Amino acid sequence: MRLRTLLIALGALLALGVIAAVAFVATFDANRYKPELVDLVREGTGRALSIDGELSLALLPRFGLSVGPARLSGPDGRGEFAQFDSARIGVAFWPLLSRRVVIDRVMLDGLKLEGVRRRDGTTNLDDLLRAGGAAKDARPASAEHPGGAAGPPDAAGAAAAAVTIAGLQLRNATIGWRDEAAGTEWRLLQADLETGRLASGKPGSARLSGRLIGKRPLVDVAIELSTGYTVDFATRATRLSGFDLKARGRASAAPALDARLRGNAEADP
């Protein structure tokens, strides 16, 4: 009898919790945080964020935030750097109970991103890279050990190393790169990307497909890529393992290109 009563009480508490969660999601107005997000991006990067779509909170199938169309300007608020049709950021529920935020999955539909290298050698990414490294560069000299040895990891590096994302998914993305000095232009169209876990120093895997178009040299190929990876977020050191790239189409030196590249690679900037 006591066990039955306990089970009924637990069931009632669980039902109340579900009702409370549904009521919270139904009444929560995420759009009131739009101005704060816009101000945060402006203060951190100097760029203008425009959120044209609605912000909404979802409980099922994953707890997270959905965003309609949005755009990010170029440096100093000029031009357009990136935009997407919709995005969803999933958040793991149980860590929230212990006041920890763990990003479960990030999904972007219709991403368009334009990278440019100007004739003077600068790019429209430089300000973002400087913003990410500002905290690291501002570390006081007292953080160094006597004799020139490096001290504890800086705050920026520690923050980067703490980021964990269960996975990233891009659908129908367009990513462009234009070098004004060299006169070259590359564009990856209809790109679909799916990654495994993104965590500093932890191995993951990724798959990418799309159509790569280039000018000077002429390239028009369909690509399929799969690889394992390990990335140090603080230093950007990257290791690719089991790299497997297939390319079919045409190029200036190969009118009927059908190639495959396999291997491993490391880069440490």
Side-chain angles (χ1 to χ4, degrees):
M1 188 64 179
R2 290 182 178 177
L3 179 59
R4 180 184 177 186
T5 302
L6 179 60
L7 291 176
I8 292 174
L10 289 175
L13 288 174
L14 180 59
L16 286 174
V18 171
I19 293 173
V22 171
F24 172 76
V25 171
T27 58
F28 181 79
D29 183 13
N31 289 286
R32 65 181 180 179
Y33 293 101
K34 274 187 181 182
E36 295 182 23
L37 289 174
V38 171
D39 291 342
L40 186 65
V41 170
R42 184 185 298 112
E43 292 171 4
T45 68
R47 299 189 179 214
L49 173 66
S50 300
I51 305 176
D52 303 321
E54 297 294 311
L55 299 179
S56 61
L57 198 63
L59 184 61
L60 296 174
R62 287 186 175 92
F63 184 82
L65 183 68
S66 296
V67 186
R71 293 170 287 123
L72 180 65
S73 76
D76 300 322
R78 298 191 303 269
E80 190 168 289
F81 171 68
Q83 66 178 53
F84 57 78
D85 295 333
S86 65
R88 179 178 172 82
I89 303 174
V91 179
F93 178 74
W94 293 111
L96 291 176
L97 301 180
S98 57
R99 297 183 180 180
R100 292 187 300 114
V101 177
V102 176
I103 299 175
D104 183 31
R105 181 169 285 276
V106 176
M107 293 177 282
L108 292 174
D109 273 322
L111 172 69
K112 294 180 177 64
L113 189 150
E114 296 293 333
V116 179
R117 183 176 184 270
R118 307 180 188 92
R119 294 184 182 276
D120 61 3
T122 63
T123 76
N124 63 344
L125 295 167
D126 292 344
D127 61 316
L128 296 178
L129 296 176
R130 285 195 301 268
K136 181 176 181 178
D137 296 336
R139 183 175 51 170
S142 59
E144 300 292 332
H145 286 299
D154 56 85
V163 173
T164 298
I165 301 175
L168 171 65
Q169 186 173 33
L170 302 182
R171 294 177 181 171
N172 195 29
T174 298
I175 300 173
W177 175 257
R178 187 174 76 255
D179 190 323
E180 295 178 346
T184 58
E185 184 175 346
W186 299 87
R187 191 167 297 274
L188 182 61
L189 306 175
Q190 302 165 352
D192 290 331
L193 169 69
E194 186 162 2
T195 76
R197 182 172 62 157
L198 296 169
S200 185
K202 304 298 182 181
S205 61
R207 299 182 67 87
L208 170 68
S209 63
R211 179 186 174 195
L212 181 65
I213 297 177
K215 298 179 180 179
R216 296 180 59 186
L218 175 65
V219 173
D220 187 349
V221 297
I223 64 169
E224 295 180 14
L225 167 68
S226 62
T227 185
Y229 58 79
T230 305
V231 182
D232 185 319
F233 290 172
T235 65
R236 298 193 295 277
T238 303
R239 181 168 62 252
L240 302 180
S241 58
F243 182 90
D244 189 351
L245 173 65
K246 300 175 184 177
R248 296 182 179 88
R250 61 190 179 93
S252 56
L257 178 67
D258 189 351
R260 187 171 188 177
L261 176 65
R262 293 176 173 178
N264 303 306
E266 293 188 13
D268 186 353

